[in-house]
Amino acid sequence: MLRLLSVNFGGLIKHKTLLSLKFSTSSVMAKSKFEYVRNFELDDKCLRNCYIVVRLDGRNFHKFSDQHNFIKPNDDRALGLMSRSARSVMEDLEDITIAYGQSDEFSFVFKRSTTWFKRRASKLMTHVTSQFSSSFVFYWKEYFGEQPLLYPPSFDGRVVLYPTNRNLKDYLSWRQADCHINNLYNTTFWTLVQKGGLTTTQAEERLNGTQAADKNEILFSEFSINYNNESSFHKKGTTLIWEKVTETATKQIKQPDEGESEVTVTRTRKKVTSHSCDIIGDQFWEEHADILESDQC
């Protein structure tokens, strides 16, 4: 058929016809009798007009922290590395408006209007998880120096949808309340072990059934520790948001007949910033009103 066309048509037309046939043939060749298996793929597109939250949790991190000699109750190196890895995710996916992390977990909130990966839950979750995990390994030395990474860390992920601003704020409040509860327990537990001389089993038995007031009393009356004075970084967790920041830099500029001169350059750009503050109350949300989108669909 190609030979017949070359006889019946002129040069330019022949070239275009052959090119057309070439693409048509490739298109046909791209299909096969096996292509039906694509029908088994699930349509996992997230519901519209909902915030998409991807939450990551460290897998077997109790074992990981023990084998890498994490400082108890809080290792600022590990917490800093978690925050750095989360920032890497946000810088890669700019539709993440806010992220919150504590201990070995981080939650990433995609704005409700996002169209990243066509809102496919599996794509969003796997991309966030892989970017975070690889960043954790990549930046390890920046926080742990020459301490070797003994084996690859792993994180699991899940996707949850929240339809309203109140739902989303309550979710983040839940995670920060969990941070406070866990940190108070861990602070008291490890104080009993490290300063009180108890074994881990004895400390666990001592704290069994205690309330927050009881733990505060143990810290204050027995060890002169006022929990209110503990670092907000440990009590509140880490909140990452996009903010406009003004940066000033000095540059050397060559000018004709005048040599080099210093010029101060100021620019404003959006940057991921870190905060250890209360996000349960209204003040944070009033100061950063651009994080949330209108509930009006």
Side-chain angles (χ1 to χ4, degrees), residues 22 43 49 66 76 84 87 96 128 132 135 147 156 159 164 169 182 188 199 206 228 247 252 259 269 288 293:
K22 181 179 179 181
D43 182 8
N49 299 322
D66 287 341
D76 288 347
R84 181 64 187 88
R87 180 156 61 90
I96 296 174
V128 169
F132 188 93
S135 297
Q147 180 176 329
D156 62 66
V159 173
T164 69
K169 289 167 68 175
N182 290 336
T188 311
T199 66
R206 174 78 186 277
N228 291 329
E247 298 177 333
Q252 297 287 337
R269 68 184 182 96
H288 305 284
E293 296 176 79

Side-chain angles (χ1 to χ4, degrees), residues 229-248:
N229 296 332
E230 293 295 295
S231 169
S232 60
F233 181 42
H234 301 149
K235 293 188 300 181
K236 302 292 187 182
T238 300
T239 301
L240 301 179
I241 60 174
W242 288 98
E243 285 190 293
K244 288 184 178 180
V245 296
T246 301
E247 298 177 333
T248 302

Side-chain angles (χ1 to χ4, degrees), residues 23-265:
F23 285 130
S24 176
T25 303
S26 298
S27 177
V28 172
M29 289 177 64
K31 297 181 180 297
S32 73
K33 65 179 181 180
F34 307 111
E35 194 173 2
Y36 78 94
V37 298
R38 295 182 61 185
N39 296 326
F40 286 88
E41 295 184 15
L42 294 176
D43 182 8
D44 62 345
K45 187 177 295 186
C46 293
L47 193 66
R48 293 177 59 189
N49 299 322
C50 290
Y51 293 103
I52 303 172
V53 175
V54 179
R55 185 167 88 240
L56 305 186
D57 288 283
R59 183 174 178 272
N60 291 332
F61 252 61
H62 285 295
K63 176 183 175 182
F64 183 87
S65 63
D66 287 341
Q67 294 189 341
H68 289 86
N69 300 314
F70 281 16
I71 299 169
K72 308 293 185 180
N74 293 294
D75 192 315
D76 288 347
R77 300 169 302 171
L79 294 173
L81 178 56
M82 290 286 293
S83 297
R84 181 64 187 88
S85 302
R87 180 156 61 90
S88 175
V89 174
M90 287 188 69
E91 290 169 346
D92 188 55
L93 298 170
E94 294 182 7
D95 269 8
I96 296 174
T97 60
I98 183 172
Y100 176 78
Q102 51 124 341
S103 186
D104 64 340
E105 73 166 56
F106 240 100
S107 298
F108 300 89
V109 180
F110 286 83
K111 60 186 181 182
R112 66 190 339 158
S113 58
T114 187
T115 56
W116 278 87
F117 301 113
K118 298 181 179 179
R119 296 180 68 88
R120 290 189 60 184
S122 57
K123 291 279 191 178
L124 292 166
M125 182 180 67
T126 53
H127 189 90
V128 169
T129 306
S130 61
Q131 180 73 20
F132 188 93
S133 300
S134 60
S135 297
F136 193 93
V137 174
F138 184 81
Y139 293 110
W140 173 268
K141 280 193 173 183
E142 190 174 310
Y143 290 86
F144 283 86
E146 295 305 313
Q147 180 176 329
L149 182 61
L150 301 178
Y151 58 88
S154 62
F155 298 84
D156 62 66
R158 73 200 70 186
V159 173
V160 187
L161 304 183
Y162 294 99
T164 69
N165 289 337
R166 172 50 56 192
N167 293 151
L168 178 64
K169 289 167 68 175
D170 285 349
Y171 167 77
L172 293 170
S173 297
W174 171 49
R175 300 321 304 144
Q176 187 166 72
D178 187 72
C179 174
H180 162 69
I181 293 169
N182 290 336
N183 188 67
L184 177 58
Y185 181 91
N186 289 332
T187 299
T188 311
F189 178 90
W190 287 107
T191 299
L192 287 170
V193 172
Q194 296 168 352
K195 296 183 178 181
L198 300 186
T199 66
T200 54
T201 301
Q202 291 171 333
E204 187 175 352
E205 291 174 351
R206 174 78 186 277
L207 294 177
N208 185 34
T210 58
Q211 302 298 317
D214 302 319
K215 298 180 182 69
N216 275 291
E217 181 61 25
I218 290 172
L219 290 172
F220 188 74
S221 62
E222 298 182 28
F223 303 99
S224 299
I225 296 175
N226 186 339
Y227 182 75
N228 291 329
N229 296 332
E230 293 295 295
S231 169
S232 60
F233 181 42
H234 301 149
K235 293 188 300 181
K236 302 292 187 182
T238 300
T239 301
L240 301 179
I241 60 174
W242 288 98
E243 285 190 293
K244 288 184 178 180
V245 296
T246 301
E247 298 177 333
T248 302
T250 302
K251 293 185 177 182
Q252 297 287 337
I253 296 180
K254 290 184 177 181
Q255 296 182 347
D257 303 324
E258 296 183 15
E260 290 188 351
S261 62
E262 288 189 353
V263 176
T264 301
V265 179

